[in-house]
Amino acid sequence: MSISVASPQKGVSFEDTSVAFSSKSNFQLKKTFWLFALMNRTWLVKLGTFFIKLALLLRLPIKNLIKSTLFGQFCGGENIKECEKTIQNLAKSKIGTILDYSVEGEDNEKSFDKTTSEILLTIEKASQSDAIPFSVFKVTGIGSTELLEKIQSGHPLSSEEEAAYDRLKDRVDSLCKKAHDLNVKIFVDAEESWIQGVIDDLTYKAMEKYNLEKPIVYNTFQMYRHDMLENFQKATREAKSNGYFLGAKLVRGAYIEKERFRAHENEYQDPINATKADTDADYNKAILFSLENRDTVSICLGTHNEYSCLYCIELMDKLNIPHNDPHVWFAQLLGMSDNISYNLAHAGYNVAKYVPYGPVEAVMPYLFRRAAENKSIAGQSSREFLLIKREVQRRHQQKVVH
C-alpha cells in the first residue's frame, strides 16, 4: 500500500503558534525566547556547557540559576513531587507526561537498585493519574553496560557475572510486572547496537509474559539502523505467532556518531543508514506497517520530525483510524517541539511529553549528552527560536490592535 502526504491534515497545522504556546504567559514566552536565542548560538552553548560543568564541579552557587533557565525549560523537577506542576500544566492541554528518571548513576549494584526503586515509584505514580500514560527505563540504568556487551559478544561469564545478570533480569521483570499489575504501559529505551541485542531479548521475554491481554511493555526501534525495519517486521510476526501484543516506540536514533566511530575503529559494517533520507523512508514505512497491523502493534512515534507526524495523521485519516485511537501515540521532549505536541493534542490525538527529572547536578550530564548526541534535536533550536519569535510578534500585534 502506498500513501503519500500531499498536504497537512485539515485542522492540524504545526505553524499555528497560538496553539503551540497557549500554555505560556507573556513572561514565560519571553523567557523561553531569550533562552532559545542564546541556545541558537553554537559557540555560546559550548562555552556555557563548559562553565556550567566547571561551576558544578567547584560547587559554586549556581543551582537556582540553572533551575530557572536550562533545567526549568527541559526538566520537570528534582523529584516526582516537583514534577506535579508540569504534569498538571501539560494535562490542561490534554498532553500526557512520561516521567523520565534521568540520573545516570554509578556502575554498581547499589546504584542499580536505587534506580529500580525510583522507576517503580514512577509506575505507581502513573497508575494513580490518567495524565501519565507511560513509564520508561533504560536497561543500562539498572545493569552494567560492560556486562551487557560481554553477553552480546558471546564471551563466557564468570559465576559473579552470571549472578549479576540474574539480578538484572530480576530488575527488568520487577519493573514490567509492576507495570502489568498496575495497568501502566512501559517503554524500554533503545541503546547502542553492541548491547541492543541483549536488551531486545529481555524486552521480548517480558512481552511474552505481560503483553498477552494488551500492550504493556514497549520496545524501542531506532530506525536509523539499516536492519531495523526488517527487525520490526520480524518482531511483529513473532508477536502474532506467539499470541502477544507488540508495543513499539519508533525513534530515529541518538547515537549516530558513537555508532559510526566504533564501526570504523573495529572494522565492521556501519549499522547506520547511509543517508538521512534512507532513515526517513524507513521510519515512514514503519508507521504504515504499524497502522496496517493494529491488531497486533501499538505504536508511539517518539519524534520531532514534522513530516513523519503529518504522514501518520494522514494515514490515520485514509485508513479511517480515529484521532484518539489507543494504539497510536505521539511523544516529544519537554521544552521542545511544542508546535507539534500542542497542535496534535488540540486536534484530539494522543500526545505525551518526556519529562526528565532528578537532582540538578545529576541530570545536567544527561542533558549535555542529549544535546551532543542528538543532532536532530540540537539542530532544531533554530526552528524553535523562529516559532517562538513569531508568537511573540503575534501577541505584540494583537495587543496593538486591541
Side-chain angles (χ1 to χ4, degrees), residues 14-147:
F14 296 151
E15 303 298 318
D16 190 341
T17 59
S18 65
V19 172
F21 303 109
S22 57
S23 67
K24 293 189 183 296
S25 66
N26 288 337
F27 173 76
Q28 290 171 326
L29 187 70
K30 285 177 181 175
K31 184 177 172 183
T32 304
F33 170 84
W34 286 112
L35 181 62
F36 274 97
L38 296 173
M39 284 175 56
N40 208 29
R41 300 176 183 272
T42 306
W43 66 270
L44 196 57
V45 171
K46 289 180 179 177
L47 193 66
T49 299
F50 171 78
F51 280 112
I52 290 173
K53 286 180 178 178
L54 182 64
L56 290 173
L57 185 67
L58 297 174
R59 301 184 183 278
L60 298 178
I62 65 162
K63 184 174 174 179
N64 288 337
L65 175 63
I66 295 172
K67 284 193 79 168
S68 65
T69 53
L70 193 66
F71 184 91
Q73 176 70 19
F74 301 109
C75 296
E78 293 198 81
N79 51 53
I80 293 175
K81 187 177 179 181
E82 282 190 15
C83 291
E84 190 60 38
K85 185 178 178 183
T86 299
I87 294 168
Q88 295 307 320
N89 284 341
L90 290 171
K92 286 176 187 174
S93 298
K94 298 179 179 176
I95 295 173
T97 290
I98 304 168
L99 289 171
D100 184 11
Y101 183 58
S102 300
V103 173
E104 298 182 4
E106 297 172 19
D107 196 5
N108 60 55
E109 297 296 304
K110 184 180 177 182
S111 172
F112 299 148
D113 285 338
K114 184 176 183 298
T115 298
T116 302
S117 297
E118 185 67 28
I119 297 164
L120 287 169
L121 291 176
T122 69
I123 296 170
E124 289 174 11
K125 176 69 175 176
S127 73
Q128 299 160 6
S129 172
D130 291 337
I132 309 175
F134 297 93
S135 287
V136 63
F137 71 95
K138 285 179 74 170
V139 173
T140 53
I142 60 172
S144 164
T145 303
E146 190 177 325
L147 177 62

Side-chain angles (χ1 to χ4, degrees), residues 139 148 152 165 172 188-208 217-222 225 227-228 231-232 234-235 238 244 246-247:
V139 173
L148 291 169
Q152 184 157 319
Y165 188 39
V172 171
V188 182
D189 271 350
E191 305 197 48
E192 295 91 340
S193 61
W194 51 92
I195 58 174
Q196 186 61 45
V198 187
I199 295 169
D200 288 343
D201 290 343
L202 291 168
T203 306
Y204 293 134
K205 281 175 184 171
M207 283 191 196
E208 287 180 23
V217 181
Y218 281 60
N219 200 11
T220 303
F221 296 85
Q222 299 179 102
R225 281 180 48 175
D227 61 348
M228 196 52 62
N231 288 355
F232 178 42
K234 180 185 176 187
E238 291 186 356
Y244 63 87
L246 180 73

